[in-house]
Amino acid sequence: MFHHVSIGVADLERARKFYDAALEPLGYTRLSTSDRWLGYGAEDPKLWIKLAERPVVPDMESGLHFCFVAGSEESVRAFHANATANGGTDNGEPGVRPEYASFYYAAFVIDPDGYRLEAFFHRPE
């Protein structure tokens, strides 16, 4: 459905450090770089991080979050560890989420600008 998603951040270098580390275990890398934006993806940039004068104000009650597909439980754990070690905040440790489904293995973090992120792996049943 989506071709790409763009988010605005206050500090591009801080975002670069966070997203380089957090997305690497999921198989996503920085594919585009300038002094105003960063583009991440597996083959083509699908997530654009842009320097913004007025980034969206973090709102934990807004319901907004972005979920990344992970290839394994280990990559979900590494996403969470890398994210929290590089400026992110824990918002749900890695594990099965039976309230969603028995196959739903995920971890949740908040990036340095307040965006809520998730890494999800569909466990074999």
Side-chain angles (χ1 to χ4, degrees):
M1 176 186 292
F2 297 109
H3 181 268
H4 68 273
V5 174
S6 299
I7 61 173
V9 299
D11 183 329
L12 198 61
E13 180 56 25
R14 179 180 70 185
R16 183 206 58 75
K17 180 181 175 194
F18 174 83
Y19 282 96
D20 281 3
L23 296 180
E24 185 272 330
L26 305 178
Y28 308 123
T29 59
R30 183 167 26 97
L31 301 172
S32 182
T33 304
S34 87
D35 60 344
R36 305 277 317 154
W37 70 76
L38 308 167
Y40 292 87
E43 296 177 14
D44 300 309
K46 300 295 183 188
L47 174 65
W48 290 94
I49 313 292
K50 297 185 175 191
L51 187 60
E53 288 185 30
R54 294 186 352 233
V56 172
V57 177
D59 181 351
M60 290 298 292
E61 301 302 317
S62 72
L64 175 68
H65 86 280
F66 300 98
C67 180
F68 298 99
V69 175
S72 66
E73 291 180 25
E74 176 54 40
S75 62
V76 170
R77 290 189 294 273
F79 159 82
H80 186 269
N82 287 5
T84 55
N86 286 278
T89 304
D90 171 47
N91 196 32
E93 298 221 353
V96 174
R97 300 296 193 265
E99 64 273 26
Y100 300 154
S102 61
F103 61 78
Y104 206 101
Y105 190 91
F108 302 85
V109 298
I110 303 168
D111 87 348
D113 285 275
Y115 290 102
R116 295 181 316 131
L117 309 174
E118 173 184 356
F120 158 73
F121 173 65
H122 187 289
R123 295 175 69 213
E125 295 201 63

